[in-house]
Amino acid sequence: MRVKKKLFFLYNPKSGKGLIKTKLSELIDHFVKAGYETIVYPTQAKGDAYERVIEYQAQADVIVCSGGDGTLDEVVSGLMACGSETPLGYLPAGSTNDFANSLGIPKDMKKAAEAVTHGEICRCDVGSFNEDTFVYVAAFGLFTDVSYETSQDLKNVLGHVAYLLEGVKRLLDIKSYYCVIETEEETFEGEFIYGMITNSRSVGGFKHLTGKNVDMSDGLFEATLIRRPKNPLELNEIVASLLMAENKSEMIRSFKTGRLTIRAEEPVIWTLDGEYGGAHNQVQIENRKQAMRIFLKEWKELL
């Protein structure tokens, strides 16, 4: 008798509009028909996906998760904590799904499941942030608390509009941080209102915000730091540059690097993949080149 491979399928029942509940039976049937003994687990609370992955990763041939970027972050963090080589399948079900969009993972759950059973295993970079892990973005400053401060119900109803409504409130109270940034190539300093270190072609649902030549397996991050504007003209210059996705402003510092340290005079609140990442005076961020094994229909080199 042929021994079946084991697939551990965990999902966040609250992600997006909860559509996973209407697709669950069909998805399980698909995995079973593909020859997998399937274990299904609905996450119960924040951090649950991380704990369950650590518990089951050694027993599973494949781990599949369904949820938003926060759920994905927990699953990948669990795999990285174990040093696991277990391949991952991702069925996006959140409000934004930046990482899935960047890799061309279908929004349709059935098609995303087919990529797991009939796709290929590709390698993708992962970020380390002090003792934590992030999948596609570590950020601080303006707007970065919008994602984790916006309620799930509001996200489900309004989608991107919910983020924008929360974000507009911050324009009247721009806080800046004096930071020293040390990379493998240079050291510089300044007063910044925003910073993001990314491995993604989309952030907050906006494509090309991180640049137009992003390779998600090259061992390099795309870093963007926005200086504090001294007047409305400089603020308009920043906004125009971001909207056009063309960095032609001296107010925005963009570069690629595999490792960097950021030191600040006061604790800076960070967000990791849209979730609260703590307040830190110093962070060390490093690219773990091709550390994640993920199922894709095809490796998409989107420019």
Side-chain angles (χ1 to χ4, degrees):
M1 180 178 178
R2 185 167 64 90
V3 178
K4 286 188 176 182
K5 290 185 177 181
K6 293 185 178 180
L7 184 150
F8 179 44
F9 178 32
L10 64 133
Y11 67 95
N12 182 347
K14 296 182 179 180
S15 286
K17 297 179 174 64
L19 293 178
I20 182 67
K21 297 174 184 177
T22 64
K23 303 286 186 178
L24 191 57
S25 178
E26 182 181 8
L27 294 171
I28 295 171
D29 184 63
H30 175 79
F31 292 135
V32 171
K33 281 184 168 61
Y36 288 102
E37 179 184 337
T38 305
I39 302 171
V40 182
Y41 183 87
T43 58
Q44 302 298 299
K46 181 178 175 61
D48 195 21
Y50 175 84
E51 297 294 340
R52 299 291 78 76
V53 165
I54 291 177
E55 178 181 355
Y56 283 100
Q57 55 83 26
Q59 308 169 39
D61 296 289
V62 176
I63 291 177
V64 177
C65 71
S66 182
D69 292 330
T71 302
L72 177 67
D73 177 88
E74 286 191 30
V75 171
V76 174
S77 294
L79 290 171
M80 295 301 107
C82 300
S84 176
E85 284 283 300
T86 305
L88 172 67
Y90 182 39
L91 316 184
S95 304
T96 306
N97 303 314
D98 283 312
F99 188 73
N101 292 336
S102 296
L103 289 178
I105 296 175
K107 294 180 181 180
D108 182 275
M109 289 187 184
K110 180 64 182 299
K111 291 181 179 179
E114 290 173 353
V116 175
T117 55
H118 297 93
E120 59 181 309
I121 298 176
C122 301
R123 286 193 173 271
C124 187
D125 299 342
V126 176
S128 66
F129 177 94
N130 289 348
E131 302 301 319
D132 292 321
T133 296
F134 67 96
V135 177
Y136 75 96
V137 61
F140 72 86
L142 188 66
F143 299 160
T144 53
D145 61 347
V146 168
S147 181
Y148 58 81
E149 285 194 355
T150 305
S151 73
Q152 186 62 56
D153 289 340
L154 190 58
K155 291 179 188 178
N156 291 347
V157 173
L158 298 179
H160 290 309
V161 177
Y163 294 98
L164 294 174
L165 289 174
E166 289 292 325
V168 166
K169 300 176 185 177
R170 310 298 196 277
L171 287 174
L172 301 177
D173 185 26
I174 300 177
K175 181 174 177 58
S176 62
Y177 302 90
Y178 192 87
C179 301
V180 176
I181 293 91
E182 180 180 349
T183 75
E184 297 173 301
E185 299 78 21
E186 61 178 333
T187 299
F188 60 95
E189 56 192 272
E191 198 169 357
F192 301 97
I193 62 172
Y194 179 79
M196 66 177 180
I197 293 82
T198 66
N199 187 47
S200 177
R201 299 177 177 112
S202 169
V203 174
F206 297 97
K207 292 184 178 180
H208 302 312
L209 194 61
T210 60
K212 296 182 179 180
N213 297 290
V214 177
D215 183 342
M216 296 173 66
S217 61
D218 63 356
L220 297 174
F221 293 120
E222 284 67 40
T224 302
L225 294 158
I226 301 178
R227 297 185 182 276
R228 179 178 177 81
K230 299 183 179 65
N231 53 60
L233 287 177
E234 289 186 343
L235 179 59
N236 287 339
E237 180 182 322
I238 291 169
V239 172
S241 182
L242 292 175
L243 289 176
M244 294 175 64
E246 294 182 359
N247 183 13
K248 296 181 178 179
S249 170
E250 293 184 358
M251 301 300 296
I252 302 177
R253 184 75 177 265
S254 298
F255 55 93
K256 290 177 181 285
T257 187
R259 184 185 300 110
L260 71 162
T261 300
I262 299 179
R263 296 187 295 274
E265 294 180 336
E266 61 179 300
V268 176
I269 295 176
W270 285 79
T271 176
L272 305 178
D273 297 330
E275 302 295 326
Y276 179 68
H280 308 271
N281 283 89
Q282 177 172 317
V283 297
Q284 293 181 313
I285 302 173
E286 184 171 352
N287 188 299
R288 301 176 63 177
K289 185 176 181 179
Q290 300 182 8
M292 183 199 312
R293 302 175 72 215
I294 185 167
F295 283 100
L296 300 175
K297 185 175 181 181
E298 59 181 340
W299 183 252
K300 299 193 71 172
E301 295 298 339
L302 303 176
L303 298 179

